[in-house]
Amino acid sequence: MIKRSTDHNMDPPQSMNWHSLTHAEVRQALHAEMDGLTDAEVKQRIVRYGPNRLTPPKRRGTLLRLLMQFHNILLYVMLGAAVITAFLGHWVDTGVLLVAVVINVVIGFIQEGKAEAALDAIRAMLSPHATVIRNGSRREIEAAELVPGDIVALASGDRVPADLRLISVKELRVEEAALTGESLPSEKSTETVSADAPLGDRYGMAYSGTLVVYGQAIGMVVATGGTTELGKINQMLTGIQSLSTPLLRQIDRFGRVLALAIIGMSAATFVLGTLWRDHTPAEMFMMVVALAASAIPEGLPAIMTVTLALGVQRMARRNAIIRHLPAVETLGSVTVICSDKTGTLTRNEMTVQRILCAGHVFDVGGTGYVPLGDFSIDGRIIDPDHYTALSMAIRSGVLCNDARLREEDGMWRVEGDPTEGALLVAGGKAGFSQHAGDTAWHRIDSIPFESQHRFMATHHRDGDGESWIFVKGAPERILDMCSSQLNHTGEHPLDVDYWRRMATDTAAQGLRLLALACKRAAPVDGQLAFSDVEGGYMLLALVGIIDPPREEAIHAVSECHHAGIRVKMITGDHAETARAIGAQLAIGVGKPTITGAEIAMMDDAVLRRVAMEVDVFARASPEHKLRLVQALQDDGQVVAMTGDGVNDAPALKCADVGVAMGMKGTEAAKEAADMVLADDNFATIATAVREGRAVYDNLKKFILFMLPTNGGEAMVVIVAILFELTLPLTPAQVLWINMVTSSTLGLALAFEPAEHGIMSRRPRPPGEALLSGFFVWRVLMVSVLMMTGALGLFLWELSDGTSVNTARTMAVNAVVVAEMFYLVNSRYILAPVTNWEGVTGNRYVLLAIAACLPLQIAYTHAPVMQGIFDSTSLSPLEWGRVLGAGLLVFCGAELEKFVIRRTRLASHLVSA
Ligand code: ATP
């Protein structure tokens, strides 16, 4: 028995056994009607029930996150050393060590926060949506805004946004693995079941978090947020994973091995220094701690993560939302992009341009969605009412239609499928309004359009109470259902050849084709089923719809070709239309086009060859996409594949980079994808590839900056010990350099924009080792240059009679200045930076240098610092010499790039 209550003291909805209640009881309990809640009711309910959101798992608190930063081998070593130095009474060293520890912790903490914030912003962009009926009209809202009592429409590919009691279903199949673990979809109905039925048997319910794999339904929200079944087991659905990628893990491992090697070398230096060179153990201990502290790349994993997060953020700003971080790396090595056509390569702004009836070809005038335009035959304007087949075709296009055409502030907009919107606009031009049609031709039932079966059907009753079934869809599909055709004299037997010829000719002009047909009959079992669309239809017309390519897609395809990336178009459209549009985009020109049916006949070996040769695949279904991805991968290609439907999920998962459409894509496709295009635009994929390459470059650039700067500094000291020279840097000074430069200068490279010409390179071979022979060479060369500059200057000053303290001050400045210069070199791996763009192109580089300069000036000239570090003021001439040491590194690095460019060019010319 349902407790009747006012809205004010209504029972919390979660306490009900909704699956055992009838619709009337559910409506009564929730005080809701089929035309939806009003805005005022929604407001009240959202206050009472809260947003429809699961509480995210608790994050680590700020303090814990801060403390976690100390959990790092290097910091343990430094803290241990600080304690020992304190015992030894080396207070300056203790102080510097502690400050260095704090700086490392704070920088790590800020970097982690920045990376997390970047990901949070992206998570928010992926928030799910729901279609609700409120105030009697349909609208799309954020799923978080749903309240109990809302009426929700479900379609295939949707994640069910809240717990729903189903009110009407059309072949609804829902995969409930998220809740029940059962991966086979269960068939839904609207029936009640007994109150104690287990979750999997509650056919009249659709539960939050489960996936609609087929069909449509309308349901009433009965539970939201934490009170849903999903909320009760408190399981968050898959979101963005943690900040790690194979490359980052590889670098992490490398960092650890390097740290161990450095500790080993430090121990050797200690032994060498004390036993062989007679330094005191206390002095040598401090030195090796300082050396280890500067050489171990403690900032490496953090900066890598920030570089990646910044890249992901940059991509998101340009509409490419990364869901799965390793995709950022993979994007840089993509060799083939397989793209849908409609809406991705084309604008998805459809306009009916031609209607072909038996005996007449009508041109339709007007542009855009404004329903104004003339119908003409060979340039002669006609009245559509005088042509029976034409007016019947237009009517069927308007009736067999799920879209809406609306005027708002003088602007005409289509809600729903643009192909259907185009038919509504054509209807408007002929004077058929959707609403007039609704009353005179009442729709009783429908089979919605699904790419798999390529048609849609609706059942109507006309003003005289007669039943009609209208179908529209791909011409081949509809022709199979027809046995007759309508022309101005009435019904005649179907002339299949005529229609096939017309279809091919029209498609060859790049027009998208639909066929329209009807039958005066009622569904056999009362409900419209597939058996009702098998035959006996009368063909009315073929409709040619124009959907021009996107300008930016044409440009992006050519950019991809330059970048050594093949672009393939996989579309559900007619082969001729696909070929013509492909030609406009420079895809598949001069190559054959093959269809899904042909793919189905090929074995894997043949398909592997064909998949590489052919660029346009037409009338392809999701299973063909999957086979194509596999065939291309077998051929060694790295494949990005786009998709939008629920059935595209396997292909998206299989592809190296699965790309889902953000606007027209289903939740299922988005969840299976690595990347979501917020604007559904092909050009965004090309942008993402460019950014992916840039991120990889920046990771490389940072390592190429950090290793030799750490190495050079260490080398200065080790060489001095080996050759029994006066130490050019004291332990405290080594720590100072580390404090000023490590993690600050290099971070600027994470902001480096993509290099010019980044899209003229070939894709990076997948699995290419980051640390190549070239890397080792560059690291060694720059280390030696830095060592030569700093140690050379120090020795030269000493031999000139300068005091040790002044010579050391110059050595410290030489190391820091050399790092600043080399930071500019590092902006481009091989290209010269000796130009305006090279020097000023990244303001973070300039800012980082500008931040370090005053520190060095203070170090040199401030009396306090002189007291701590034994530094001395330098004359302008001495500063000039310091600058010279920096320039040595700068010029050396640029010269090396020049030689490499020259030799590469030469070998390229020879091989050409
Ligand atoms: P792509 O895969 O590039 O997005 P597409 O949008 O052309 O291609 P589908 O949406 O699968 O592919 O459409 C395939 C065919 O189905 C179209 O060529 C058209 O003939 C027909 N079709 C498209 N939309 C509808 C619709 N709403 N109702 C009936 N038939 C349709």
PDB file of all heavy atoms in Angstrom, residues 135 198 222 280 378 430 455 478 576 595 621 767 817 887 900:
ATOM      1  N   ASN A 135       8.604  20.122 -18.026  1.00  0.00           N
ATOM      2  CA  ASN A 135       7.637  21.103 -18.530  1.00  0.00           C
ATOM      3  C   ASN A 135       7.089  20.674 -19.885  1.00  0.00           C
ATOM      4  O   ASN A 135       6.838  21.499 -20.762  1.00  0.00           O
ATOM      5  CB  ASN A 135       8.289  22.478 -18.732  1.00  0.00           C
ATOM      6  CG  ASN A 135       8.688  23.092 -17.419  1.00  0.00           C
ATOM      7  OD1 ASN A 135       7.939  23.002 -16.451  1.00  0.00           O
ATOM      8  ND2 ASN A 135       9.859  23.698 -17.389  1.00  0.00           N
ATOM      9  N   PRO A 198      15.598 -10.703  -7.298  1.00  0.00           N
ATOM     10  CA  PRO A 198      16.973 -10.188  -7.254  1.00  0.00           C
ATOM     11  C   PRO A 198      17.183  -9.115  -8.322  1.00  0.00           C
ATOM     12  O   PRO A 198      16.414  -9.031  -9.293  1.00  0.00           O
ATOM     13  CB  PRO A 198      17.832 -11.417  -7.535  1.00  0.00           C
ATOM     14  CG  PRO A 198      16.925 -12.390  -8.188  1.00  0.00           C
ATOM     15  CD  PRO A 198      15.540 -12.100  -7.719  1.00  0.00           C
ATOM     16  N   VAL A 222      13.738   7.131  -9.958  1.00  0.00           N
ATOM     17  CA  VAL A 222      13.253   6.792  -8.624  1.00  0.00           C
ATOM     18  C   VAL A 222      14.330   6.944  -7.562  1.00  0.00           C
ATOM     19  O   VAL A 222      14.039   7.054  -6.381  1.00  0.00           O
ATOM     20  CB  VAL A 222      12.667   5.367  -8.585  1.00  0.00           C
ATOM     21  CG1 VAL A 222      11.430   5.275  -9.440  1.00  0.00           C
ATOM     22  CG2 VAL A 222      13.702   4.345  -9.020  1.00  0.00           C
ATOM     23  N   THR A 280      89.959  15.091   4.480  1.00  0.00           N
ATOM     24  CA  THR A 280      89.446  14.534   5.741  1.00  0.00           C
ATOM     25  C   THR A 280      88.100  13.876   5.468  1.00  0.00           C
ATOM     26  O   THR A 280      87.358  14.341   4.571  1.00  0.00           O
ATOM     27  CB  THR A 280      89.229  15.632   6.798  1.00  0.00           C
ATOM     28  OG1 THR A 280      88.192  16.468   6.323  1.00  0.00           O
ATOM     29  CG2 THR A 280      90.489  16.427   7.056  1.00  0.00           C
ATOM     30  N   ASP A 378      14.704  21.537 -63.893  1.00  0.00           N
ATOM     31  CA  ASP A 378      15.543  22.189 -64.923  1.00  0.00           C
ATOM     32  C   ASP A 378      15.442  23.718 -64.841  1.00  0.00           C
ATOM     33  O   ASP A 378      15.264  24.400 -65.876  1.00  0.00           O
ATOM     34  CB  ASP A 378      15.125  21.735 -66.334  1.00  0.00           C
ATOM     35  CG  ASP A 378      15.365  20.252 -66.522  1.00  0.00           C
ATOM     36  OD1 ASP A 378      16.277  19.733 -65.843  1.00  0.00           O
ATOM     37  OD2 ASP A 378      14.638  19.614 -67.300  1.00  0.00           O
ATOM     38  N   ALA A 430       8.119  23.078 -48.618  1.00  0.00           N
ATOM     39  CA  ALA A 430       6.940  22.676 -49.392  1.00  0.00           C
ATOM     40  C   ALA A 430       5.652  22.914 -48.607  1.00  0.00           C
ATOM     41  O   ALA A 430       4.572  22.519 -49.038  1.00  0.00           O
ATOM     42  CB  ALA A 430       7.061  21.204 -49.762  1.00  0.00           C
ATOM     43  N   PHE A 455      17.930   1.958 -41.655  1.00  0.00           N
ATOM     44  CA  PHE A 455      16.623   2.497 -42.040  1.00  0.00           C
ATOM     45  C   PHE A 455      15.872   2.895 -40.787  1.00  0.00           C
ATOM     46  O   PHE A 455      16.250   2.530 -39.674  1.00  0.00           O
ATOM     47  CB  PHE A 455      15.807   1.478 -42.853  1.00  0.00           C
ATOM     48  CG  PHE A 455      15.227   0.382 -42.004  1.00  0.00           C
ATOM     49  CD1 PHE A 455      13.972   0.530 -41.411  1.00  0.00           C
ATOM     50  CD2 PHE A 455      15.945  -0.783 -41.775  1.00  0.00           C
ATOM     51  CE1 PHE A 455      13.450  -0.469 -40.596  1.00  0.00           C
ATOM     52  CE2 PHE A 455      15.425  -1.776 -40.966  1.00  0.00           C
ATOM     53  CZ  PHE A 455      14.177  -1.630 -40.380  1.00  0.00           C
ATOM     54  N   ILE A 478      16.204   0.135 -48.808  1.00  0.00           N
ATOM     55  CA  ILE A 478      14.783   0.425 -49.055  1.00  0.00           C
ATOM     56  C   ILE A 478      14.323  -0.241 -50.359  1.00  0.00           C
ATOM     57  O   ILE A 478      13.210  -0.775 -50.439  1.00  0.00           O
ATOM     58  CB  ILE A 478      14.545   1.955 -49.105  1.00  0.00           C
ATOM     59  CG1 ILE A 478      15.004   2.608 -47.792  1.00  0.00           C
ATOM     60  CG2 ILE A 478      13.082   2.296 -49.410  1.00  0.00           C
ATOM     61  CD1 ILE A 478      14.216   2.220 -46.564  1.00  0.00           C
ATOM     62  N   GLU A 576      29.753   5.672 -53.652  1.00  0.00           N
ATOM     63  CA  GLU A 576      30.022   6.788 -54.568  1.00  0.00           C
ATOM     64  C   GLU A 576      30.097   8.106 -53.805  1.00  0.00           C
ATOM     65  O   GLU A 576      30.924   8.969 -54.090  1.00  0.00           O
ATOM     66  CB  GLU A 576      28.947   6.863 -55.653  1.00  0.00           C
ATOM     67  CG  GLU A 576      29.000   5.740 -56.657  1.00  0.00           C
ATOM     68  CD  GLU A 576      30.344   5.669 -57.382  1.00  0.00           C
ATOM     69  OE1 GLU A 576      30.956   6.728 -57.608  1.00  0.00           O
ATOM     70  OE2 GLU A 576      30.791   4.543 -57.688  1.00  0.00           O
ATOM     71  N   THR A 595      33.695  -1.699 -50.056  1.00  0.00           N
ATOM     72  CA  THR A 595      32.537  -1.621 -49.162  1.00  0.00           C
ATOM     73  C   THR A 595      32.628  -2.678 -48.065  1.00  0.00           C
ATOM     74  O   THR A 595      33.407  -3.638 -48.167  1.00  0.00           O
ATOM     75  CB  THR A 595      31.222  -1.878 -49.931  1.00  0.00           C
ATOM     76  OG1 THR A 595      31.285  -3.214 -50.440  1.00  0.00           O
ATOM     77  CG2 THR A 595      31.025  -0.900 -51.057  1.00  0.00           C
ATOM     78  N   SER A 621      30.305  -1.259 -41.340  1.00  0.00           N
ATOM     79  CA  SER A 621      29.656  -1.346 -40.033  1.00  0.00           C
ATOM     80  C   SER A 621      30.742  -1.469 -38.966  1.00  0.00           C
ATOM     81  O   SER A 621      31.905  -1.706 -39.285  1.00  0.00           O
ATOM     82  CB  SER A 621      28.769  -2.585 -39.974  1.00  0.00           C
ATOM     83  OG  SER A 621      27.908  -2.568 -41.062  1.00  0.00           O
ATOM     84  N   GLY A 767      57.871   2.324 -29.468  1.00  0.00           N
ATOM     85  CA  GLY A 767      58.855   1.545 -28.712  1.00  0.00           C
ATOM     86  C   GLY A 767      60.264   2.077 -28.862  1.00  0.00           C
ATOM     87  O   GLY A 767      61.217   1.473 -28.384  1.00  0.00           O
ATOM     88  N   VAL A 817      75.234  30.249 -14.850  1.00  0.00           N
ATOM     89  CA  VAL A 817      75.042  30.964 -16.120  1.00  0.00           C
ATOM     90  C   VAL A 817      75.051  29.974 -17.293  1.00  0.00           C
ATOM     91  O   VAL A 817      74.239  30.083 -18.217  1.00  0.00           O
ATOM     92  CB  VAL A 817      76.122  32.062 -16.284  1.00  0.00           C
ATOM     93  CG1 VAL A 817      76.119  32.615 -17.708  1.00  0.00           C
ATOM     94  CG2 VAL A 817      75.880  33.175 -15.278  1.00  0.00           C
ATOM     95  N   LEU A 887      78.733  31.274 -22.461  1.00  0.00           N
ATOM     96  CA  LEU A 887      78.678  31.334 -23.928  1.00  0.00           C
ATOM     97  C   LEU A 887      79.373  30.131 -24.562  1.00  0.00           C
ATOM     98  O   LEU A 887      78.959  29.667 -25.629  1.00  0.00           O
ATOM     99  CB  LEU A 887      79.333  32.623 -24.414  1.00  0.00           C
ATOM    100  CG  LEU A 887      78.413  33.839 -24.416  1.00  0.00           C
ATOM    101  CD1 LEU A 887      79.189  35.102 -24.736  1.00  0.00           C
ATOM    102  CD2 LEU A 887      77.284  33.650 -25.439  1.00  0.00           C
ATOM    103  N   ILE A 900      75.185  18.279 -36.820  1.00  0.00           N
ATOM    104  CA  ILE A 900      74.251  17.153 -36.975  1.00  0.00           C
ATOM    105  C   ILE A 900      73.270  17.438 -38.114  1.00  0.00           C
ATOM    106  O   ILE A 900      73.014  16.581 -38.962  1.00  0.00           O
ATOM    107  CB  ILE A 900      73.485  16.881 -35.668  1.00  0.00           C
ATOM    108  CG1 ILE A 900      74.460  16.407 -34.602  1.00  0.00           C
ATOM    109  CG2 ILE A 900      72.383  15.839 -35.890  1.00  0.00           C
ATOM    110  CD1 ILE A 900      73.820  16.036 -33.297  1.00  0.00           C
TER     111      ILE A 900
END
